[in-house]
Amino acid sequence: MALFGKKKEETKAETTCCCGNSQSAIEVTSTCCGEKVDGICCIKVLGSGCKSCHQLYDNTLKAVEGMGIEVEYVTDLQKIMEYGAMSMPALVINEKVVSVGRVLKPSEISAMISDITDKSECI
């Protein structure tokens, strides 16, 4: 039983987002998941699997319907902690947490997406 073994060594690896920005793999192990569509690299819903988290995921899918953007549902607690989201559900657009602790309506999510597309920002 190796409960008190050696601590795993961390390795620093540079990754490049679809937008060209590099990130350290220790800072954020998740990187943008696809090609940029109207300024949106990726959208993720962070949640534990509860009813509210599933509702935000469903509302996000409705908001991006027909846009060609994939939505990732992240339930891994380690990955969620890397984003710094302290309550669930959380919405991440272009690797930036934009909402925490509430279920947004599809219209609210669409408004956030259009704000980002107007600014054409991607981190």
Side-chain angles (χ1 to χ4, degrees):
M1 207 160 100
L3 291 176
F4 302 105
K6 280 188 166 181
K7 185 179 177 181
K8 290 183 180 179
E9 292 183 23
E10 294 180 342
T11 58
K12 291 189 178 186
E14 291 293 319
T15 58
T16 304
C17 178
C18 60
C19 307
N21 291 338
S22 62
Q23 301 171 333
S24 171
I26 291 175
E27 291 175 4
V28 178
T29 56
S30 303
T31 58
C32 290
C33 50
E35 291 183 23
K36 192 174 7 176
V37 177
D38 293 329
I40 304 295
C41 294
C42 52
I43 298 178
K44 298 175 184 177
V45 175
L46 310 178
S48 60
C50 67
K51 182 179 177 183
S52 296
C53 299
H54 282 289
Q55 187 63 49
L56 179 62
Y57 179 69
D58 291 340
N59 289 352
T60 305
L61 289 175
K62 289 176 188 173
V64 301
E65 191 173 357
M67 297 175 89
I69 300 171
E70 288 187 32
V71 179
E72 183 181 351
Y73 187 25
V74 179
T75 57
D76 182 14
L77 189 57
Q78 182 66 35
K79 289 181 182 179
I80 292 170
M81 288 175 19
E82 289 173 5
Y83 285 99
M86 297 307 282
S87 29
M88 300 315 142
L91 182 64
V92 176
I93 300 176
N94 289 350
E95 295 300 322
K96 181 179 177 185
V97 178
V98 295
S99 173
V100 177
R102 62 184 287 239
V103 178
L104 300 170
K105 297 176 185 174
S107 60
E108 294 173 310
I109 298 167
S110 296
M112 287 181 177
I113 291 171
S114 66
D115 284 347
I116 291 172
T117 22
D118 291 343
K119 296 175 186 174
S120 294
E121 63 181 41
C122 182
I123 62 169

